[in-house]
Amino acid sequence: MTTIADKLQQVQHRVAQACERAGRDPASVLLLAVSKTFGPDAVLEAARAGQHAFGENYLQEAVEKMAALRQMGAPTLQWHCIGPVQSNKTRLVAEHFDWMHTVDRLKVAQRLSDQRPAHLPPLQVCIQINVDGGANKSGVAPQEALALAQSVAVLPQLCLRGLMSIPEPATGFDAQYALHLRAREVFDTIRASGLPGLAGFDTLSMGMTDDLDAAIAAGSTMVRVGTGIFGRRARPEASDTPI
């Protein structure tokens, strides 16, 4: 039986190979293990195998999981919120997470900043962009990303780290690469803008189990892998439903 530790090692090897083909240092790409719908035992197994960054979509499930892991003696982990969040639920993100990947409007960013406890470091955030105009996808339009970045970058309890995208599924490396390259181009434009508050703007969160190779070739610095590490999820989900 293949364990989570075995699958994690396989994904790490795949990331390293994709970096080698792209002429990149494997250390330049962070592997984010997407643990949504999987219990604390699965997270702990991955953590004991060396994984430290985990992505969650469902806030209450995630907060309960964090508490359970602390009781289980888990090492200190880094938690990323990677699902769209309704503005009336931002407090859970502000109080419990280290990263928020799906900022797509200023109202949400302002609430996250206002609700971030003073004793915690600034919340690391990414702006989600909708690179292909998918009707069922969250995210700001690429042409609006620079203006949103300018507003988010100056909020006191946030640190704007980069962009995140989840394009519609595409078949084949070339089609996947073309979509991810759109996000890379927006990222490069913002980074070259000289806006204040962008000293830490270094993150492109894009690529999942099925398209991480193309994402890395296009410049991704963080890939979000769930199925490849934990297996298929037992329950269906509407992945872009706000939480």
Side-chain angles (χ1 to χ4, degrees):
M1 179 179 178
T2 304
T3 66
I4 288 174
D6 292 333
K7 292 177 181 177
L8 178 62
Q9 188 176 42
Q10 291 168 5
V11 172
Q12 291 169 336
H13 181 63
R14 182 179 166 194
V15 169
Q17 287 185 315
C19 287
E20 183 178 355
R21 287 192 295 269
R24 299 179 57 191
D25 181 352
S28 67
V29 179
L30 176 72
L31 174 59
L32 182 63
V34 180
S35 47
K36 61 181 180 180
T37 78
F38 292 97
D41 289 340
V43 173
L44 186 59
E45 182 178 346
R48 287 175 172 166
Q51 179 65 26
H52 80 284
F54 292 86
E56 293 283 336
N57 282 49
Y58 309 115
L59 296 183
Q60 194 58 47
E61 172 195 315
V63 171
E64 292 171 358
K65 195 180 303 183
M66 293 174 196
L69 283 159
R70 286 193 294 269
Q71 292 180 346
M72 296 164 70
T76 300
L77 303 175
Q78 187 182 86
W79 294 97
H80 297 238
C81 179
I82 59 173
V85 175
Q86 295 172 342
S87 58
N88 64 349
K89 294 185 178 180
T90 52
R91 185 174 297 277
L92 283 175
V93 178
E95 293 181 348
H96 295 279
F97 284 82
D98 303 294
W99 282 69
M100 168 66 167
H101 287 229
T102 55
V103 172
D104 62 359
R105 57 196 187 277
L106 184 57
K107 178 182 179 181
V108 167
Q110 289 173 326
R111 288 178 65 89
L112 289 168
S113 181
D114 292 344
Q115 295 167 346
R116 184 68 168 175
H119 69 278
L120 293 178
L123 182 67
Q124 312 296 296
V125 300
C126 291
I127 289 173
Q128 183 176 359
I129 59 172
N130 187 346
V131 294
D132 53 5
N136 296 320
K137 293 293 181 184
S138 296
V140 66
Q143 64 270 23
E144 298 171 2
L146 179 60
L148 181 57
Q150 184 174 16
S151 298
V152 173
V154 297
L155 293 174
Q157 287 296 93
L158 304 184
C159 178
L160 179 58
R161 293 296 300 272
L163 302 180
M164 179 266 223
S165 68
I166 312 175
E168 294 288 346
T171 302
F173 180 93
D174 291 343
Q176 294 168 353
Y177 176 78
L179 285 173
H180 289 309
L181 201 59
R182 295 184 195 175
R184 169 66 184 271
E185 290 167 351
V186 178
F187 174 81
D188 288 343
T189 297
I190 295 174
R191 190 164 59 171
S193 68
L195 290 175
L198 292 182
F201 195 83
D202 59 4
T203 299
L204 254 178
S205 170
M206 59 184 191
M208 298 183 285
T209 298
D210 291 337
D211 63 348
L212 71 83
D213 303 84
I216 289 172
S220 174
T221 67
M222 188 183 300
V223 291
R224 310 178 303 269
V225 178
T227 302
I229 296 171
F230 297 106
R232 295 289 176 185
R233 293 180 178 86
R235 72 173 190 248
E237 58 179 326
S239 61
D240 209 47
T241 301
I243 54 179

